[in-house]
Amino acid sequence: MTLNAQPEASHYIDGAFVEDLAGAPIEVVHPADGAVIARLHAATPALVERALNAAVRAQAEWAARRPVERGRILRRAADIIRERNRELSILETLDTGKPLQETLVADAASGADALEYFAGFAPTVTGQTIPQGRDFVYTTREPLGVCLGIGAWNYPTQIACWKAAPALAFGNAMIFKPSETTPLSALQVAAILTEAGLPAGLFNVLQGHGDLGAALVSDPRIAKVSLTGSVPTGRRVYAAAAEGIRHVTMELGGKSPLIVFEDASLEDAIGGAMLGNFYSSGQVCSNGTRVFVQRRIKDRFLDRLKARTEAIRLGDPLDEDTQMGPLVSAAQMEKVLGHIEGARAEGARLVTGGQRLNRPGFYVAPTVFADVTDAMAIAREEVFGPVMSVLDFDDEDEVVARANATEFGLSAGVFTQDLARAHRVIGRLQAGTCWINAYNLTPVEAPFGGVKLSGVGRENGHAALEHYTQVRTVYVGMGPVDAPY
Ligand code: NDP
């Protein structure tokens, strides 16, 4: 079967698909077989200019609308996304290689949740009244202006919606630059928003590489930058945004600890560890890639983990029975295989997996290493692939100290039946997003984000309001002005 996912055009600007063949070519590859499924072009400076001008124009009118009206449009977009979930999920699977079994429930569905949540949230936003005797002060929450969203390739639809939904709900416009590896689904989100009634110019998609992102970050018309990406890119984007004192949200990488105490429900802990390492072929920023297992249960844990891991069904991601697909690109596969070789060389014990699959596409077998020590690269560097490291520990203080001995701080998880211990340990872990007896669940109602090098700001939940609005303070004088002159 020749797969074709060619969009109407490469970009979406001012309410319409737009092409400019003068832009550098971008080939979109289906990771399960390497076939080219779409050919796009990077945005030229003329298109960047068009998108920015459209966004500035549209935002002023949008901000003046009643929040309930803005919300109604986003709510309609959520409904359309849900109606077209299958079609959008197939596109996401073609673009990312993630199995349809996952994309049907985790990608467009999560994007729709964000649109629905912020649609309902926007009309509830109010300011404060602060009495000053005769006088008073009031505050209002106002949009920032034109926001720039820059996405990673692992959750293209979700990332576009998690950024667009709060931005638009609170009266901003957005220019969104997907990763050039997965440029397709953000275009469909844009078209659906237009269909739902979003005025032209409010959500624009520009394709391109890092240089396009860099040019946009430095443009004075951009008020805020929200990046989902790696720490090195985060550093560059944050620094460029600082030049213009722009607002930022940084959702960056991690090397998160998942701690399994000996009293944990073993099957639940293994299930959590597998979800937190193998879902989306391990390409999830919040993954619990350092699995600390209390020594007395280590052998039982590893036996069952090996059996369950070897039962994972790998295959064609478009087959709904497939549980794990390929990695997103040849480059990512090579990177992951390099980490696996490094772990072996450093003395980690391979429990299962450890190799590329003998089939076309960018498949790496789900891999478990045991006897991993804190100093090994596999325990310190983000792999972003289906590779779990199991480390042993003896007691609580020791594991907390080791779990925190990382420059990252995105997530953390604890499995134990002792709830007092669960809360005590979670409270001591340096991480922005934590789980107790669960892993990697990220409902839109819950704020999501990291500490330390894993980022600043939060997406989702009430916390997102802080990051897509600013406060205006108005002092109201009610009597004569008391001037000493
Ligand atoms: P990258 O950091 O390589 O890229 C992220 C985005 O930034 C891409 O769209 C990229 O464009 C763009 N970009 C690159 N350089 C610049 C620049 N100088 N200025 C502006 N934009 C730039 O990340 P990946 O796409 O490889 O994604 C994987 C990473 O994302 C992992 O580290 C992962 O942990 C992190 N991530 C974090 C999440 C979170 O919420 N905390 C969620 C998901 C992933 P291009 O691709 O065209 O180069």
Side-chain angles (χ1 to χ4, degrees):
M1 181 172 58
T2 309
L3 301 166
N4 183 7
Q6 185 68 36
E8 205 176 311
S10 299
H11 317 282
Y12 200 90
I13 302 171
D14 208 2
F17 281 97
V18 176
E19 192 57 89
D20 183 350
L21 299 176
I26 296 174
E27 280 192 344
V28 188
V29 165
H30 180 42
D33 58 9
V36 175
I37 53 168
R39 291 176 201 278
L40 308 185
H41 294 269
T44 51
L47 292 191
V48 174
E49 205 48 34
R50 257 169 83 177
L52 281 163
N53 288 337
V56 169
R57 183 207 71 228
Q59 193 267 327
E61 190 270 336
W62 181 241
R65 291 216 194 176
R66 289 175 59 214
V68 75
E69 241 182 276
R70 296 198 297 255
R72 196 176 304 135
I73 292 169
L74 300 187
R75 173 63 211 243
R76 245 183 254 136
D79 289 344
I80 299 172
I81 287 179
R82 289 208 180 90
E83 280 159 25
R84 301 204 193 134
N85 183 44
R86 176 160 287 272
E87 182 190 319
L88 293 167
S89 302
I90 290 172
L91 184 67
E92 195 81 321
T93 288
L94 290 174
D95 208 358
T96 63
K98 297 193 295 179
L100 196 53
Q101 194 184 90
E102 285 185 17
T103 53
L104 281 169
V105 296
D107 294 85
S110 159
D113 279 0
L115 289 161
E116 184 174 4
Y117 177 83
F118 287 104
F121 185 0
T124 72
V125 174
T126 56
Q128 284 182 304
T129 311
I130 305 158
Q132 293 291 305
R134 180 192 65 188
D135 298 347
F136 66 97
V137 172
Y138 68 89
T139 65
T140 53
R141 281 263 166 202
E142 305 198 343
L144 300 172
V146 179
C147 302
L148 171 64
I150 304 178
W153 40 254
N154 56 345
Y155 281 83
T157 308
Q158 184 190 80
I159 292 171
C161 290
W162 280 19
K163 297 187 191 311
L168 296 172
F170 301 135
N172 303 281
M174 176 159 272
I175 309 247
F176 186 76
K177 190 204 89 66
S179 163
E180 105 267 4
T181 311
T182 55
L184 301 178
S185 49
L187 291 168
Q188 300 311 315
V189 171
I192 286 171
L193 283 164
T194 300
E195 191 180 332
L198 189 76
L202 286 171
F203 184 70
N204 307 278
V205 178
L206 292 175
Q207 311 292 353
H209 300 79
D211 58 337
L212 169 63
L216 286 165
V217 174
S218 306
D219 192 285
R221 287 163 286 189
I222 295 293
K224 186 232 160 79
V225 184
S226 175
L227 169 79
T228 298
S230 61
V231 171
T233 301
R235 278 205 175 97
R236 281 196 292 275
V237 171
Y238 203 166
E243 277 298 309
I245 319 287
R246 295 186 228 301
H247 299 255
V248 295
T249 301
M250 295 280 141
E251 297 289 358
L252 309 176
K255 192 73 200 175
S256 302
L258 195 169
I259 302 172
V260 183
F261 286 97
E262 60 192 18
D263 66 342
S265 153
L266 198 67
E267 290 300 323
D268 288 338
I270 292 168
M274 290 175 74
L275 282 169
N277 279 274
F278 300 145
Y279 205 72
S280 298
S281 296
Q283 303 164 119
V284 181
C285 50
S286 49
N287 271 355
T289 47
R290 289 182 296 146
V291 180
F292 290 93
V293 179
Q294 208 159 12
R295 202 175 303 274
R296 264 198 288 189
I297 58 164
K298 171 186 152 183
D299 290 341
R300 276 192 297 141
F301 184 93
L302 285 173
D303 283 351
R304 282 293 297 149
L305 173 63
K306 178 172 162 39
R308 287 178 64 176
T309 300
E310 287 173 357
I312 292 174
R313 287 192 297 275
L314 282 97
D316 178 357
L318 288 166
D319 177 346
E320 271 184 63
D321 286 333
T322 294
Q323 294 172 320
M324 193 189 284
L327 291 164
V328 76
S329 63
Q332 189 61 19
M333 178 184 69
E334 292 305 335
K335 188 179 153 216
V336 171
L337 291 171
H339 279 288
I340 290 173
E341 278 322 302
R344 278 185 161 137
E346 282 194 285
R349 172 163 62 93
L350 184 67
V351 174
T352 185
Q355 79 286 339
R356 183 179 179 181
L357 294 198
N358 185 19
R359 58 175 290 160
F362 315 130
Y363 288 83
V364 172
T367 298
V368 176
F369 281 108
D371 303 338
V372 173
T373 61
D374 300 348
M376 292 179 185
I378 197 80
R380 289 184 288 106
E381 295 169 11
E382 188 177 42
V383 176
F384 231 56
V387 182
M388 186 193 307
S389 293
V390 178
L391 304 91
D392 318 328
F393 77 95
D394 292 302
D395 72 63
E396 189 177 310
D397 285 343
E398 171 212 337
V399 77
V400 167
R402 290 171 59 200
N404 286 336
T406 167
E407 57 192 2
F408 297 111
L410 186 52
S411 306
V414 175
F415 276 85
T416 173
Q417 305 277 15
D418 176 348
L419 279 183
R421 171 157 65 189
H423 293 291
R424 187 173 62 236
V425 170
I426 241 15
R428 295 173 69 195
L429 293 174
Q430 296 163 353
T433 308
C434 304
W435 292 275
I436 292 174
N437 293 333
Y439 206 82
N440 260 357
L441 301 174
T442 55
V444 68
E445 298 90 340
F448 179 82
V451 302
K452 295 159 80 179
L453 289 193
S454 292
V456 292
R458 292 293 177 271
E459 298 197 289
N460 293 341
H462 279 211
L465 178 67
E466 295 292 333
H467 303 290
Y468 283 100
T469 61
Q470 55 199 342
V471 175
R472 177 192 295 275
T473 302
V474 181
Y475 187 106
V476 182
M478 296 292 287
V481 174
D482 182 16
Y485 326 106

